[in-house]
Structures are given as structure tokens and as C-alpha cells.
Amino acid sequence: MAESRTIGVFGAGWVGLVTGGCLAELGHKVIVRDVVPDRVAALQAGRLPFHEPDLPEVLARNSGRIRYTLDADELAGADVLFICVQTPPTYSGDADLSYVWSALDDLPRAERRQLLVMKSTVPVGTGEKVRAALEARSLANVGYVSNPEFLAEGTAVRDFMNPDRIVIGAFAPEDAAFVESLYVGIETPVVQTDVASAEMIKLAANAFLSTRISFINEIANVCELVGADVESVAQGVGLDHRLGPHFFRAGVGWGGSCFGKDVSALKQLAGNSGYHFQLLAAVIEVNELQKRRVIAKLEKHLGRLRGKTIAVLGLAFKPNTDDLRDAPSLVIASRLLAEGAVVRTWDPVADARERLQGATQCDNILETVRGADAAVIVTEWNELRDLASEQVREEMARPLIIDGRNLLDPQATRLAGFAYEGVGRPTSPFEALPEVAEREGAAKPPVRVSGPVEGVRGNREVPPARN
Ligand code: UGA
């Protein structure tokens, strides 16, 4: 068990509460400070402002060791101050550090030395700037350490307690050692480095994860053209120990509050320093286009989407969170609305009513697909695994499933009577509406390559050549 310290946390957002809760779980006393009175009041009353598995239990279990306040002066007795505020993108794609600077404005005047630990994702060079700002404010007795977070939404508590590594970038070795001591009890490699490198590790990790996804999405798009199955391809490639299987799932593109922001912040940081980061420009563009491919797939089957009813299933940017920030669902649903489609949406926890005005958010899956010309799986919630059911088929006006996350088994879905399109999977027989079929010359039955093609799951079905 770690020696118990008193830890102040600036920011009762997702990173602040997970960090505060888990540090309390490790035995420390934690005071979380936020500037939003309603948020602090809700936390004091035991209510969590967002959905994150395991976090309510962690906070409840450690309620004797964690408290919430609006008053930064209550952090004056803390040994360490974690900065866990948001760093959203500005219009230029740089990171907006205004919340970091206002936390610095509110730093309590402590009698003894305190350590400021940056958890928020910040541009490389921020540590140097903060150090200069602290000196300018005669706060030279405040030390600075960069200790980036690698928490993924939906698994944040597990990620904190069982991390792949802890990264600590410090100006003074004793500060690094002090921060490392807070994590005693967690078995993992610790990377001790300089502040700039720690800042870069965080940005590079998110940029590389995004790059892997954009890469496999482009492979998927080529698979669609040449009749290969990206699921088998990803498996076969990912088994190479040099490449690995993670973050290699093709889909409708990445979303969330981190990838878009951090990839663009790194690209911008490079540009500001005189380097054009070409690869990241492509990673971002591929992701934007990937979301929109759903529209073309729907049009292939339904022709013009004006007046067609489309069920958008899953709104959160990934399962097990209610977070809608940068969610592909918002782009897809907005494009559908712009095309004049009737959009019905469903999500077990996320509420998009304000952001998707014009769409109808339904309470359950059956209600959402009622009368729909197509159902689109945007987020791979477990509840959608049984989508290809008789009940759903009967409710739909037209049994067409566009599976944006390759959640369903194509063959089973087709056997259940649905036309099915995944991402980078052998395509469905071309079952277009009559007027589309006529225009596209698709009236001929599809050519079927029957029998399992070796190494590829399911039959390969090839649409007829276009006239
Ligand atoms: C991400 C990183 O995974 C964390 O390590 C990091 O700490 C965090 O950002 C952050 O900077 O705070 P998060 O955004 O919560 O975490 O979610 P991810 O699990 O990384 O998923 C991001 C997006 O990529 C989701 O839309 C997901 O559906 C998509 N994704 C993920 C794919 O399309 N394919 C994959 O193979 C994996």
C-alpha cells in the first residue's frame, strides 16, 4: 500500500473523478475541486454526472477519503495537486489551455512545497511554460511533473488500476520519485523521462492508435472493392507479434473527445514548429470520409434517401459510455437529415435529442426500427448483437442492415432474411429498390461463389457487373 498522501484534484470531469477515485482507492486522501456549483453539489449528494462503469462503486467505497469542493483554498494542505481540466481544441486546431491557466490562477498559497502534476493532455512545451508562469507568480516552491493519463472511456477504472505503463516526466528526479510513490501497489513498468518527452508520449500514443484505425479502415475500403474480408485480414495481420491485434477493428471511424483533438493538436504543434505532418493529415481525412461511407451504402440499396426512414442504432462514440463528443453517429444522422431522410435513433444511455434536432430518439430497438427502410449499427452495444431477429425483420419496412461495426455475422444475418452490408466484408447481393435497380442495371440476380471460400467466413457474393 502507498504511504497515504493528501491529493488535490483540479477538475471534477471524467479524468479528475477517475483519477481522484482511484487514488483514494490506493489509500490517499483526495479533495476534488471544480468551478461548477451544480456538479459539486451533485457529487456531494452521491450523484455522478456521467456514465462510467465501476466509478460509482469506487467513489462510494472511498467516500470517507474523498470530498468535493468549490473552494481552491481547501487544497492548500495537499502534498500534490493534479490538474485534470479539459483542453479542448481551438478553431486553429491547437489545444485550448485556458482551463489550465485558470487552475494556475486559483492555486492556493501553501506554506510548504507542493507538486503540480499535469494529467490533462497538453501540447509539448506546456510544462516549460507552466514552470515559467509559476516563477513569474513567485510560486517557485511549486514543482511540476507531467504524468499523462491513458484511460479509455468505459474501462477507465480498470485502465487506471491495471495500466500498461505509468509515464512520469519531471524537471527534478526527486519529484518524479514522489509521483511514482503515489502509485505503489500498481505493478507496471514506469517510464521516467523529461517533461517534453512525457508530453509527446501521450500525443504520439493517441496519434498512433488513430493511425492504426484509419489504416485498417482504408484496407477495409479496398477489401470491399476486391472481395476480401477485412475481419480475416485484420486477424491475419494482427497475429504478427510485431503488429499486434489491438485497435485494428474497421468501422465507421473513430470518435470521442480525445483522438480528434489530440491528432489535430499534434499536427498543429508540428506545423507551428515548421514541420508538415503529412501522415496525420491523411489519418484525419480518412476518418472524416469513413463516417460518410454509410450514406453511399444506404443509397446503393435505397436510391435517394429523401423520405426514407433510417434507424440509427447506437449514438455514443463507443459502447459503455454516454459520451457523444465527436461521435460518428452525429455526422451520420446529420447527413441523413440533410438528405431528407426520416431519422429514428436509439442508444441505451446517450441522449442526443438536443444535438440531433429533427431526429426522433426512441426508447427501445423495436420502436426504432418500426417502419424503417434500413437499420444502421453505429455503436457496437451488446444489445444490438441480436438485431437480426424475426421480430425486427417484421417491424422493418425493408430488412436492410448496414453494420458499421461488423458486429453481426453476415451469413447468419442473411439467412435470417436481411440484406447485409458490413465494413470491408464481402458485400450483400444487390437488393436495390426497383427504381434503383433499373437505374443501376442491377435487375440480374447476383453471381454467387458458393461454398465457403477458403480462409474467408461465409459465402462470397458478387453483384452483377454494371452496364
Ligand atoms: C482514447 C485512448 O484509447 C486512451 O488510451 C486515452 O487515454 C484517451 O483516448 C484519452 O486521450 O483520454 P477513448 O477516446 O476513451 O480513449 O476511447 P477508445 O477506446 O480509444 O476509442 C476511440 C474511438 O476509436 C471509438 O470511437 C472507437 O469506436 C474507435 N475504435 C477503436 C475503432 O474504430 N476501432 C478500433 O479498433 C478501436
Side-chain angles (χ1 to χ4, degrees):
M1 192 119 191
E3 185 182 340
S4 177
R5 304 284 187 187
T6 302
I7 293 174
V9 176
F10 278 93
W14 179 79
V15 174
L17 290 176
V18 173
T19 302
C22 291
L23 286 169
E25 180 93 348
L26 289 176
H28 303 295
K29 283 200 248 13
V30 177
I31 312 160
V32 181
R33 185 266 185 162
D34 202 280
V35 291
V36 181
D38 284 352
R39 180 164 282 231
V40 171
L43 288 164
Q44 285 168 339
R47 289 193 309 275
L48 196 60
F50 49 80
H51 177 85
E52 179 62 40
D54 302 329
L55 187 56
E57 293 77 9
V58 168
L59 294 177
R61 198 162 50 237
N62 294 288
S63 59
R65 271 200 291 266
I66 182 163
R67 63 192 168 86
Y68 310 94
T69 182
L70 283 166
D71 183 2
D73 286 340
E74 288 190 32
L75 277 52
D79 302 296
V80 187
L81 299 168
F82 276 82
I83 305 283
C84 300
V85 296
Q86 47 177 321
T87 51
T90 61
Y91 291 118
S92 62
D94 294 282
D96 174 1
L97 294 181
S98 53
Y99 295 97
V100 171
W101 298 126
S102 46
L104 287 191
D105 288 339
D106 294 345
L107 279 190
R109 294 269 160 182
E111 301 280 302
R112 61 207 170 94
R113 190 163 192 275
Q114 284 185 311
L115 208 49
L116 202 64
V117 180
M118 186 63 73
K119 271 268 172 232
S120 303
T121 303
V122 292
V124 181
T126 302
E128 278 294 352
K129 285 188 190 156
V130 172
R131 183 157 75 159
L134 290 171
E135 274 169 24
R137 288 162 209 225
S138 310
L139 285 167
N141 66 335
V142 179
Y144 183 89
V145 172
S146 165
N147 174 215
E149 54 90 8
F150 300 98
L151 312 170
E153 289 189 26
T155 54
V157 170
R158 197 182 70 202
D159 295 344
F160 191 102
M161 300 308 283
N162 304 288
D164 290 339
R165 76 305 208 184
I166 292 171
V167 173
I168 300 175
F171 292 114
E174 60 274 19
D175 290 345
F178 190 87
V179 171
E180 186 173 344
S181 75
L182 300 175
Y183 293 99
V184 167
I186 294 181
E187 288 295 316
T188 196
V190 175
V191 179
Q192 279 203 22
T193 182
D194 58 281
V195 171
S197 302
E199 293 167 342
M200 183 57 109
I201 287 170
K202 167 67 191 199
L203 291 178
N206 271 1
F208 189 53
L209 290 170
S210 316
T211 302
R212 281 183 65 104
I213 302 170
S214 280
F215 178 81
I216 199 67
N217 280 338
E218 289 221 279
I219 293 289
N221 299 343
V222 179
C223 282
E224 285 177 11
L225 295 173
V226 298
D229 183 341
V230 74
E231 294 293 307
S232 304
V233 174
Q235 188 191 11
V237 174
L239 280 169
D240 185 326
H241 74 279
R242 295 167 303 174
L243 301 172
H246 303 292
F247 277 68
F248 223 36
R249 276 181 290 113
V252 289
W254 40 264
S257 67
C258 303
F259 281 180
K261 165 177 82 79
D262 293 349
V263 175
S264 123
L266 179 52
K267 176 174 162 279
Q268 205 53 43
L269 176 80
N272 296 345
S273 316
Y275 182 73
H276 177 46
F277 207 142
Q278 295 187 60
L279 183 60
L280 291 187
V283 167
I284 295 167
E285 192 181 356
V286 167
N287 196 54
E288 277 315 307
L289 296 174
Q290 195 68 15
K291 303 173 203 170
R292 290 159 170 81
R293 286 176 69 87
V294 167
I295 309 298
K297 286 181 180 168
L298 285 166
E299 283 172 345
K300 173 179 143 188
H301 289 266
L302 303 175
R304 287 186 64 204
L305 298 177
R306 172 162 298 282
K308 304 281 175 6
T309 300
I310 313 294
V312 173
L313 301 172
L315 296 167
F317 81 96
K318 65 184 227 181
N320 299 320
T321 174
D322 57 357
D323 198 337
L324 284 167
R325 284 176 290 176
D326 219 359
S329 66
L330 299 178
V331 173
I332 292 167
S334 303
R335 282 290 308 119
L336 289 170
L337 288 168
E339 292 296 325
V342 177
V343 178
R344 299 167 69 77
T345 65
W346 168 84
D347 193 280
V349 286
D351 183 348
R353 269 173 282 230
E354 257 185 40
R355 296 188 210 211
L356 289 177
Q357 309 232 344
T360 306
Q361 182 152 349
C362 305
D363 291 333
N364 59 59
I365 297 170
L366 274 189
E367 188 193 333
T368 320
V369 299
R370 193 158 295 147
D373 294 292
V376 183
I377 299 178
V378 180
T379 314
E380 65 276 35
W381 285 102
N382 262 335
E383 290 88 329
L384 293 169
R385 286 184 191 279
D386 301 325
L387 186 67
S389 69
E390 202 179 320
Q391 243 183 331
V392 166
R393 205 188 56 227
E394 278 166 10
E395 290 288 354
M396 292 182 73
R398 189 180 157 79
L400 167 62
I401 294 178
I402 307 291
D403 183 355
R405 295 291 182 183
N406 289 350
L407 183 68
L408 308 184
D409 177 66
Q411 206 173 4
T413 306
R414 289 182 188 128
L415 281 175
F418 291 86
Y420 174 86
E421 296 268 351
V423 178
R425 289 175 140 181
T427 165
S428 203
F430 197 1
E431 295 169 44
L433 288 180
E435 69 271 18
V436 184
E438 199 180 326
R439 200 184 65 227
E440 303 281 337
K444 288 175 242 159
V447 180
R448 230 167 233 260
V449 181
S450 60
V453 176
E454 214 176 315
V456 177
R457 255 176 285 144
N459 292 348
R460 214 170 93 206
E461 292 147 343
V462 185
R466 293 185 178 188
N467 295 334

